[in-house]
Amino acid sequence: PNLAAMDPDSDVEESEVALLKKLKKEQGLDVGEDDEDEKKEKKPLVLDVIGLENKLNEIKLPENFHWVESLSLTSNTRLELEDVHDDLKREAEFYTRSLQAANIALKNLKQMNIPYERPEDFYAEMVKTDEHMKKVKAQLLLERKKMDATAARIKEKESRKFAKQVHSDRVQAKAKRKKTGTREY
């Protein structure tokens, strides 16, 4: 086994790994898959242009292939960004182009009189059973009740604090009036 592959943080040099392999071979131990990888790496690379063109022609779409069969749209304009490493701008550009392509596709489908919206009376088969969905709904309602109860407790606590403060202010005002000797009618 490749020791460096086992521990990516290891400081084991390639020369040390090669030395370990050599020692294992001398001792008759199984070196493992590394030898097979080396044999695979030694296989010469061949650029079979004719084979690639044949395969391309084999999988190529026929000339009379209708757009409706694939619904594939490509942009004619080049994607030009000032900074290709700016993920936000790149994603925004992808989004904009995707939206434009979707609008073009809808326009094409309308021109061909092909329905693209689900009928209003369409009922899809549910993946989950009604019983399971009832449990999910009950769980959601329970969580909602807990959240509402927590919110109500917090509101009540704040209300008590406010009432306490108002009461304290009234008591202080009353004490102040007693000192000054004024009465409130």
Side-chain angles (χ1 to χ4, degrees):
N2 187 349
L3 297 177
M6 284 185 197
D7 186 10
D9 297 333
S10 170
D11 293 329
V12 178
E13 301 277 333
E14 287 183 5
S15 60
E16 292 175 352
V17 173
L19 180 63
L20 284 172
K21 284 184 193 178
K22 184 178 177 184
L23 289 172
K24 285 184 178 183
K25 278 185 183 179
E26 288 174 1
Q27 294 174 356
L29 296 174
D30 182 27
V31 179
E33 300 169 1
D34 293 336
D35 287 336
E36 294 172 17
D37 290 342
E38 289 175 13
K39 289 177 186 174
K40 288 179 186 175
E41 289 174 12
K42 292 178 183 178
K43 186 177 178 181
L45 298 176
V46 177
L47 180 59
D48 185 10
V49 176
I50 296 171
L52 287 172
E53 286 177 353
N54 288 340
K55 190 53 79 174
L56 178 64
N57 289 332
E58 185 180 314
I59 64 172
K60 193 174 188 180
L61 295 175
E63 294 295 324
N64 61 351
F65 194 75
H66 295 288
W67 173 79
V68 177
E69 300 294 327
S70 68
L71 298 177
S72 175
L73 293 173
T74 55
S75 177
N76 294 333
T77 58
R78 237 183 119 123
L79 181 64
E80 294 184 23
L81 298 170
E82 292 138 22
D83 181 16
V84 293
H85 300 293
D86 187 357
D87 293 339
L88 187 62
K89 285 185 181 176
R90 190 175 62 236
E91 289 297 324
E93 187 64 29
F94 289 154
Y95 173 79
T96 304
R97 286 176 183 237
S98 299
L99 189 61
Q100 289 171 349
N103 288 331
I104 291 169
L106 288 176
K107 187 176 91 178
N108 291 346
L109 289 171
K110 283 180 185 176
Q111 286 176 349
M112 295 177 178
N113 292 325
I114 297 173
Y116 57 89
E117 290 181 340
R118 182 183 297 174
E120 289 190 25
D121 62 345
F122 179 82
Y123 293 104
E125 185 177 327
M126 300 299 287
V127 176
K128 299 183 181 194
T129 63
D130 288 340
E131 293 171 16
H132 180 77
M133 293 309 294
K134 285 178 185 175
K135 289 179 185 176
V136 170
K137 185 176 181 180
Q139 184 66 29
L140 289 173
L141 289 173
L142 180 67
E143 288 177 14
R144 180 68 169 196
K145 280 183 182 178
K146 286 180 182 178
M147 288 172 43
D148 289 345
T150 304
R153 278 196 306 270
I154 290 171
K155 191 174 181 180
E156 174 127 357
K157 188 176 180 181
E158 289 174 0
S159 173
R160 275 188 268 146
K161 276 186 183 178
F162 183 71
K164 203 176 198 181
Q165 182 65 37
V166 168
H167 178 69
S168 172
D169 291 345
R170 282 185 184 167
V171 168
Q172 287 176 356
K174 187 175 180 182
K176 189 176 181 182
R177 281 194 310 269
K178 267 189 174 180
K179 275 187 177 179
T180 59
T182 58
R183 277 191 173 178
E184 194 173 295
Y185 294 102

